[in-house]
Amino acid sequence: MRLGIGGCVAALLAAGLVAAPATAAASVSVSAGSGPQYDFAGAIRETVWVDTGRDGDGDGQPDRVAADIVRPAETAKAGAKIPVIMDASPYYSSVGRGNETEFKTYDDQGRPVGFPLYYDNYFVPRGYAVVLVDLAGTNRSTGCVDVGGESDVNSAKRVIDWLNGRATGYGAKTGGGTVTADWTSGAVGMIGKSYDGTIANGVAATGVDGLKTIVPISAISSWYDYYRSDGAAFGFDPAELAATVEARNGGQDCSAENGKLVEGATANGDYGPFWAERDYVAKAKNVRASVFISHGVNDLNVRTINFGQWWDALAANGVQRKIWLSQTGHVDPFDYRRAEWVETLHRWFDHYLMGIDNGIEKDPMATVERQPDQWADQATYPAKDASQTTLHLQPGNTPGVGTLGTDAASGTTSFTDNAKVGEVGWAANPSAMSPNRVLYSTGELASPVQVSGTSSITVTATPSTSSARLSAMLVDYGPATIRNFSARGEGITTGSQETCWGGNAPGDDACYKVTTANTTKVDYTVLSRGWADLANYQSLSQESPLTPGQPYTMTFRLASTDHVIPAGHRLALIVGGTDVDVITPPAQTPKVTLDLAKTSVLIPLSGALPAHPQAGGLPAGPLAHVSRRAAVDLR
């Protein structure tokens, strides 16, 4: 069922949305912005194949990537130069795009008909062109994917070059006459979720001229941090993803390229040349585009260290930026805050691609979901008054259970790795001794405390065997209602009604199912996680043999977040060995002893912790929680 004008819920009306039937366009009020004035059904739809200058599939011919284009016919007749919104993806014929799994479609002559997502429906009537690029080796492009490497990034970069007259486009996959983009201003904004947003990050890191802004949604900033964490491996590899997205690529032989993926992504978790090629954070100094990030703080697919380290690197380079953080998992903001997202995105593109002075660059930098559907603007991210605070592990009366405070301590504590236990087992019964983890917590908070930014932990650990894994997590102990990010939908429920967002054409409508928050009640919330291989204590580039009984000091990162711990709750640090749901175990699972005087956690905190925390006060027995589920695809 599609919502008619009288069927909108109050929240959508308050946000400026008029939900329209299938034949009309939803309108969002945008101050001094581009309005719907062009006929979407009569828009020009075409495909251009752009020469990438590479021969990834080894067939002796330069690879060509397919760029499917939809643009208003009226602007072409008037000779107007218009900007481009681009989504470069490997998924248009393999796993689909969006919450409703849309694929590209074509007519019997191969002309593009169906463009996934709402970008074309909404923005083409407002004077934009929308260009959807098939990465090399996928859908109608030749060549091979290389999972975030030169081929992937170059696929989109060369289309931007073509839009700016620096590359050659053709009217056919092979042969064909040359085609120029004389209809565009050359200003490009890239957008996309997951793999698509990752490519936007990678292209921005090249500094390509013409790319004015990117909107990476739940995107990777360093592929190492998708597949590895400080030396620890997550148990899945790039070659698997390549095989998935190349499944319908027209028969190219990509076995040689896929072999390079297997060889480069070493199983031991070391950071080497393969990962350096796919590390956009290291190249952030090249970014000239503005950046609007969206990420779920409970995203267990593209973990949040990816947005945190990218954000910090962009900040160091003075890049204009904005961020939305939701309580969801791997979810597009169109599917958890639709009206506000479309309005904000419209203003963002209008400003950075059309040069419209609408003031969006002066809006609060960050917008954070504090509780399901309850949002707060924040002047900066991390929060302006959040300061890096060192907390120490202090022993209590129960072995392996103590307090977390600002005073240094002495002594040791230990746990035995058990590769069959992980986060849920460690967090349960927080007042009790556990053989497989140690747990240290603050006293009950007298006032709220905010964790805003990226934390890290430094351990001095002595393993009983020659190999060891370490896991750590920050936990908010106390009752809460949260988005059920581990359920199907990762925090949203998809209904049957639809709202429509732009113009319609045969085979390409603008209507999408309404979603609502899927919530659950819990007794604790994990707000940050991190993993490491102790053998990488000296360097991530090469692990070092461990001598049983010898202490080693290592610092590793915990995931980026923005989370308010309410008064009456407690903040806890849990340290264990192999996290069964996430990392691969060592050859021999050791007993690990921590030197408390040389072990601490560094947390960006705003607010006061108890001056003299007392052990105890945590709940005993099983606790309500959200069970994690494996998430290893990049949709």
Side-chain angles (χ1 to χ4, degrees), residues 99-170:
N99 187 44
E100 298 179 33
T101 315
E102 294 183 290
F103 298 91
K104 283 184 178 180
T105 61
Y106 305 90
D107 64 18
D108 55 7
Q109 297 182 47
R111 293 174 299 200
V113 173
F115 285 66
L117 306 176
Y118 65 96
Y119 304 140
D120 60 320
N121 309 86
Y122 185 82
F123 285 104
V124 170
R126 288 164 170 80
Y128 290 85
V130 170
V131 178
L132 305 187
V133 180
D134 299 327
L135 296 189
T138 69
N139 198 23
R140 300 203 296 174
S141 293
T142 62
C144 298
V145 297
D146 59 0
V147 189
E150 181 184 350
S151 178
D152 279 8
V153 172
N154 197 49
S155 294
K157 177 182 178 295
R158 291 297 285 170
V159 175
I160 296 175
D161 285 336
W162 172 73
L163 290 165
N164 284 275
R166 300 187 300 266
T168 305
Y170 296 89

Side-chain angles (χ1 to χ4, degrees), residues 405-447:
T406 55
D407 297 332
S410 61
T412 63
T413 188
S414 62
F415 58 86
T416 300
D417 193 355
N418 181 346
K420 296 181 180 179
V421 181
E423 176 182 301
V424 174
W426 296 337
N429 301 305
S431 294
M433 179 267 182
S434 168
N436 306 130
R437 57 92 172 124
V438 295
L439 189 153
Y440 296 81
S441 65
T442 66
E444 183 176 297
L445 301 180
S447 57

Side-chain angles (χ1 to χ4, degrees), residues 295-320:
H295 215 108
V297 296
N298 292 307
D299 192 337
L300 301 179
N301 186 334
V302 178
R303 294 173 175 86
T304 60
I305 192 66
N306 280 279
F307 86 74
Q309 62 190 1
W310 185 232
W311 181 268
D312 291 343
L314 296 171
N317 194 36
V319 171
Q320 290 187 323

